[in-house]
Amino acid sequence: MPTYHAKVIVTLKPSILDPQGRTVERALSHLDHANVSGVRVGKYIELTLTGERADVERQLAELVEQVLSNPVMENARWELEEAQ
Amino acid sequence: MKTAVIQFPGSNCDADALHAARLTLDPDAQFVWHTEAGLPQGTDLVFLPGGFSYGDHLRSGAIAARSPIMAAVKEHAERGGYVLGVCNGFQVLTEAGLLPGALSRNRDLHFRCAPVHLRVENAHTAFTAAYQPGQIIEIPIAHGEGNYYADPETVARLETEGRVVFRYLDNPNGSLNDIAGIVNERGNVLGMMPHPERAVEELLGSVDGRGLFASLKGAWPA
């Protein structure tokens, strides 16, 4: 069975207030990086999966949608690479 | 009214919930550990207490919503059984899909712990019938992630269907439309961020939470 490494990135939807991102942005501005904007703080999740690629992709899409992110307020994207 | 208080790892208002339930509803109210496969025979009310289940890892309530007992809680709700989720319990209910929307970080990032004033927006539910319509009550809050969000269609639906049951007078967390508590379509599942179980004795500074439990008791055939 091949093994795959998945990287999942979860961010708040643009319409959702991201107070954490805004706080970081303000801090950066206080540190004289006033040209920095659009700071959003999200989550990065790594997983290892074994199985055939098509099955693993289907499983991962399901996990991302149903557990790893909350589609009400978050967007999620993922990448899958075969382990060397 | 046979009451089960569900305990998740990290629940910390479970004892308050049990105390309030025993005082107002059921002297034999009991705890149920989250790994149980089923609810005690004849359970009428499931109480999901506040706290920080699983340390709020991933998202508040996300892991708890997928723990073994929740399948039985969903079945109970589908049968029309009462479910009350307070604070983290509300987060668990939204994560479990038993209530719409989501709770995100408070607008100002502060953990807010204070008595707040709520307006009873719908006094025709099993959870609020003992209150007067529009009654202002004082109930404490204690949360860092109580900012209610749902897409505009969902919020419009909640409003037109009278499912916004409690509304903040002075919104402490940024919730859309000042929403503090909502019910499901059928009216048997209530989620709210404020803690009615902490307002059931004079010693606690308010007894305004008693109305909620009195309502449930009244809704239950004697």
Side-chain angles (χ1 to χ4, degrees), chain A residues 3-84:
Chain A
T3 297
Y4 295 92
H5 290 315
K7 298 172 179 173
V8 182
I9 291 169
V10 182
T11 51
L12 286 168
K13 283 184 182 174
S15 59
I16 308 272
L17 174 73
D18 177 5
Q20 200 175 171
R22 217 170 52 176
T23 304
V24 173
E25 187 172 310
R26 208 173 299 139
L28 294 178
S29 159
H30 293 156
L31 293 167
D32 289 331
H33 297 281
N35 62 325
V36 177
S37 64
V39 178
R40 306 284 288 178
V41 176
K43 273 176 232 158
Y44 171 67
I45 302 164
E46 289 182 341
L47 296 85
T48 301
L49 304 100
T50 54
E52 296 308 327
R53 182 160 191 123
D55 297 335
V56 162
E57 279 186 358
R58 205 173 312 121
Q59 182 189 9
L60 182 62
E62 206 176 289
L63 288 179
V64 168
E65 170 91 2
Q66 293 176 6
V67 183
L68 301 180
S69 74
N70 181 340
V72 174
M73 57 178 173
E74 293 171 331
N75 289 327
R77 56 197 160 86
W78 48 266
E79 295 165 15
L80 193 68
E81 271 178 16
E82 189 161 0
Q84 294 307 310

Side-chain angles (χ1 to χ4, degrees), chain B residues 72-94:
Chain B
V73 174
K74 282 182 194 171
E75 279 168 28
H76 172 79
E78 278 158 20
R79 280 197 304 270
Y82 294 117
V83 180
L84 168 62
V86 168
C87 200
N88 186 232
F90 186 12
Q91 296 162 344
V92 173
L93 287 174
T94 59

Side-chain angles (χ1 to χ4, degrees), chain B:
Chain B
M1 181 170 216
K2 197 164 176 184
T3 302
V5 176
I6 312 295
Q7 290 179 300
F8 302 100
S11 293
N12 65 8
C13 301
D14 45 349
D16 309 41
L18 190 75
H19 175 76
R22 285 186 172 166
L23 190 72
T24 61
L25 292 174
D26 170 19
D28 300 320
Q30 56 179 300
F31 286 135
V32 174
W33 186 236
H34 72 118
T35 53
E36 292 290 326
L39 295 164
Q41 194 75 34
T43 295
D44 301 308
L45 170 69
V46 172
F47 195 150
L48 300 172
F52 298 85
S53 56
Y54 291 90
D56 278 354
H57 293 328
L58 196 59
R59 299 176 304 278
S60 312
I63 314 275
R66 289 151 182 90
S67 65
I69 193 66
M70 286 307 293
V73 174
K74 282 182 194 171
E75 279 168 28
H76 172 79
E78 278 158 20
R79 280 197 304 270
Y82 294 117
V83 180
L84 168 62
V86 168
C87 200
N88 186 232
F90 186 12
Q91 296 162 344
V92 173
L93 287 174
T94 59
E95 279 287 342
L98 284 168
L99 289 173
L103 285 312
S104 66
R105 292 295 290 274
N106 290 352
R107 177 183 42 199
D108 59 7
L109 281 176
H110 293 167
F111 185 96
R112 301 291 303 271
C113 183
V116 299
H117 290 101
L118 307 176
R119 190 167 50 237
V120 180
E121 293 285 350
N122 183 346
H124 301 288
T125 76
F127 299 93
T128 53
Y131 293 114
Q132 296 302 311
Q135 188 177 340
I136 307 296
I137 57 174
E138 188 182 286
I139 304 265
I141 56 162
H143 61 250
E145 303 195 10
N147 186 346
Y148 183 79
Y149 171 84
D151 60 67
E153 296 75 34
T154 303
V155 173
R157 222 179 130 204
L158 290 173
E159 293 288 356
T160 55
E161 292 174 0
R163 288 165 54 190
V164 177
V165 170
F166 297 112
R167 218 186 289 273
Y168 299 111
L169 292 195
D170 186 11
N171 191 336
N173 52 37
S175 288
L176 282 178
N177 293 19
D178 304 323
I179 289 173
I182 57 170
V183 285
N184 65 342
E185 206 166 355
R186 191 168 171 177
N188 61 317
V189 178
L190 170 73
M192 62 191 295
M193 289 311 295
H195 289 266
E197 80 283 8
R198 291 188 185 173
V200 293
E201 307 217 48
E202 293 290 354
L203 185 66
L204 299 171
S206 167
V207 291
D208 290 353
R210 274 185 175 255
L212 191 147
F213 299 101
S215 305
L216 277 169
K217 196 160 190 177
W220 197 242

